[in-house]
């Protein structure tokens, strides 16, 4: 099963950022874009979401080389009614496009109190929590519904084959003076990238996550990468499916992009995102909001008398992993590392140089 059991290397986070910057610079990205993509991918690794970390670099570079992903692209505002914007990305690199689109939504929410922003046809925008965090840093609450146009990977609840994407949702809630709450997950049982990580590592997945090509339950991650292709299941039975459905309609249809219909017909991994960004300050509720969320967090996490605390809040697992990986370096499985070396080579960065930058040579 899988791609064969992989080993693991550990790379210091600054060195990993330099690897990403070097390879994107060689592919033609501006210095700014190199910084944005390195920040995005390595922060995903630091937070434990290896599915959306440097393991995405080979796909981005491959698509940049064929023109399926446009480097150094700027988003085009096609509708601007103040608090309502529609932004066209035309397959620009998502880490630049979404950054700039969310920055526009943040600026509008700061001056007008709220902004609804629909971003369409972006190349893959990575870890959606990254965009919630961008809003949170400006003191804003945000909600993001995203759909994915790629190889269908997820079976609708009750279905036996892949029809839709992993359609993630993120919600960011700033917490004055404290670390924010960040809700951020796929509506499938796992993100495709996490199945890829398991496939690259050569390990099985838990029961209940995957269907094989015949629509039967399997634990082998090869179901998503080897013919006949199978499917991920949605989380929470019918509820995850209903949310996934809403993502396709809000982010895909309402934004004027596309919903997932039919098999993959191009190499680009496309994301559409429907975002709502709100200022508690403009609502006049920021003091009450700050008081209430602290009281609520204390109430929901308080253990029964004599027991140890056991409840985590959204965003906490990622912060714990980040602290650990800053101290103990970022683990990268050797299959993924091999794919990164090959991606570097495809744009003229020798394997030896990439290894040296990573501190592995
Ligand atoms: P996940 O299942 O690991 O869930 C993560 C979320 O759950 C976080 O908000 C985390 O803080 C919270 N959480 C985890 N344990 C918790 C606990 N014990 N108590 C309270 N909260 C807890 O995430 P996932 O579904 O594997 O998604 C991984 C990443 O993949 C996300 O960043 C997502 O945005 C990204 N993704 C992107 C795309 C795309 O097309 N761009 C598609 C799918 C997923």
């Amino acid at each position: 099963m899988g791609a064969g059991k992989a080993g693991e290397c550990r790379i210091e986070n600054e060195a990993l950022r330099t690897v990403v910057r070097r390879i994107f610079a060689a592919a033609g990205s501006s210095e700014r874009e190199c910084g944005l993509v390195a920040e995005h991918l390595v922060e995903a690794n630091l937070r434990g979401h290896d599915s959306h970390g440097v393991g995405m670099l080979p796909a981005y570079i491959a698509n940049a080389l064929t023109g399926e992903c446009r480097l150094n692209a700027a988003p085009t505002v096609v509708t601007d009614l103040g608090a309502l914007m529609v932004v066209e990305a035309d397959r620009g690199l998502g880490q630049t496009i979404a950054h700039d689109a969310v920055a526009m939504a943040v600026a509008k929410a700061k001056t007008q109190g709220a902004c609804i922003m629909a971003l369409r046809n972006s190349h893959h925008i990575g870890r959606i929590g990254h965009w919630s965090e961008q809003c949170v840093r400006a003191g804003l609450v945000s909600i993001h519904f995203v759909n994915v146009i790629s190889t269908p990977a997820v079976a609708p609840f009750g279905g036996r084959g892949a029809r839709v994407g992993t359609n993630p949702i993120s919600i960011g809630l700033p917490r004055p003076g404290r670390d924010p709450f960040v809700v951020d997950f796929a509506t499938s049982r796992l993100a495709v990238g996490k199945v890829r990580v398991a496939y690259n590592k050569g390990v099985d997945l838990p029961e209940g996550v995957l269907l094989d090509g015949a629509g039967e339950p399997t634990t082998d991650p090869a179901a998503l990468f080897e013919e006949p292709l199978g499917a991920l299941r949605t989380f929470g039975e019918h509820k995850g499916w209903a949310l996934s459905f809403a993502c396709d309609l809000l982010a895909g249809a309402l934004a004027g992009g596309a919903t997932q219909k039919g098999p993959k017909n191009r190499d680009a991994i496309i994301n559409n995102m429907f975002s709502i960004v709100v200022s508690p300050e403009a609502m006049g509720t920021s003091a009450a909001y700050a008081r209430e969320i602290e009281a609520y967090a204390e109430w929901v996490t308080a253990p029964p008398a004599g027991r140890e605390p056991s409840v985590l809040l959204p965003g906490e697992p990622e912060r714990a992993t980040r602290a650990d990986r800053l101290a103990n370096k970022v683990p990268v499985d050797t299959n993924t590392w091999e794919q990164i070396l090959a991606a570097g080579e495809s744009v003229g960065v020798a394997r030896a140089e990439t290894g040296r930058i990573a501190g592995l040579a």
Side-chain angles (χ1 to χ4, degrees):
M1 61 142 284
K5 187 123 183 112
E8 179 186 283
C9 45
R10 286 201 164 247
I11 304 173
E12 196 270 326
N13 97 87
E14 283 302 336
L16 202 50
R17 283 172 209 261
T18 309
V19 166
V20 176
R21 279 198 299 268
R22 175 73 184 94
I23 294 176
F24 273 89
S29 284
S30 66
E31 199 178 330
R32 173 176 186 261
E33 180 157 275
C34 291
L36 287 171
V37 69
E39 167 78 5
H40 188 110
L41 297 182
V42 176
E43 283 296 329
N45 284 113
L46 284 173
R47 285 172 168 78
H49 293 295
D50 296 335
S51 54
H52 289 72
V54 294
M56 290 306 299
L57 178 149
Y60 293 176
I61 292 292
N63 286 344
L65 286 176
T66 58
E68 282 286 280
C69 167
R70 293 189 309 119
L71 301 180
N72 306 314
T76 306
V77 179
V78 291
T79 301
D80 185 353
L81 297 174
L84 178 63
M85 293 169 73
V86 180
V87 178
E88 171 65 49
D90 193 16
R91 289 175 292 106
L93 183 76
Q95 284 61 32
T96 302
I97 290 284
H99 175 274
D100 292 353
V102 171
M104 287 190 266
V106 162
K108 284 177 177 289
K110 285 296 244 186
T111 53
Q112 298 165 356
C115 182
I116 294 174
M117 191 272 293
L119 171 64
R120 69 186 187 212
N121 296 322
S122 177
H123 197 264
H124 192 250
I125 60 175
R127 185 178 69 92
I128 310 308
H130 194 88
W131 314 119
S132 295
E133 288 157 8
Q134 189 176 342
C135 298
V136 152
R137 279 194 295 280
L140 301 170
V141 171
S142 66
I143 305 172
H144 310 267
F145 292 89
V146 175
N147 82 331
V148 192
I149 313 286
S150 185
T151 303
V154 182
F157 180 70
R160 289 171 69 84
R163 288 287 182 277
V164 296
T166 49
N167 295 357
I169 296 172
S170 180
I171 302 169
L173 296 145
R175 208 174 164 193
R178 310 271 302 262
D179 291 318
F181 300 129
V182 179
V183 175
D184 174 28
F185 48 65
T187 46
S188 48
R189 284 288 308 270
L190 285 181
V192 169
K194 286 189 176 159
V195 184
R196 173 172 42 78
V197 170
Y199 180 64
N200 281 343
K201 285 184 177 170
V203 298
D204 274 343
L205 289 169
E207 302 276 350
V209 171
L210 282 172
L211 300 175
D212 67 18
E216 298 299 330
T218 179
T219 56
D220 185 349
L224 281 201
F225 302 103
E226 293 175 19
E227 296 287 346
L229 294 178
L232 277 158
R233 300 168 105 168
T234 51
F235 79 81
E237 310 284 324
H238 57 288
K239 300 179 189 183
W241 159 234
L243 283 172
S244 166
F245 177 82
C247 283
D248 253 310
L249 297 192
L250 289 171
L254 184 59
T259 54
Q260 174 79 55
K261 301 177 295 294
K264 180 174 177 166
N265 61 6
R266 62 186 316 164
D267 287 332
I269 312 162
I270 297 295
N271 278 146
N272 300 289
M273 176 162 75
F274 179 77
S275 300
I276 303 169
V277 186
V278 181
S279 162
E281 203 178 315
M283 286 178 71
T285 60
S286 52
Y289 163 84
R291 257 195 326 274
E292 199 59 25
I293 57 173
E294 292 315 320
Y296 178 75
E298 197 178 319
W299 160 246
V300 293
T301 54
R307 300 280 185 148
E308 290 294 312
S310 60
V311 174
L312 295 176
L313 298 173
E316 286 183 349
E318 284 77 10
R319 276 196 291 282
T321 306
R322 191 173 190 279
D324 174 61
R325 291 183 171 189
L326 281 176
N328 299 311
K329 302 186 181 177
V330 177
V332 180
D333 72 80
T334 48
N335 283 334
T336 298
W337 183 243
E338 172 57 32
Q339 291 160 9
I340 292 170
L341 291 175
E345 215 169 23
S346 73
V347 289
V349 184
R351 286 166 178 255
E353 182 184 350
T354 306
R356 225 177 10 256
I357 298 171
L360 298 174

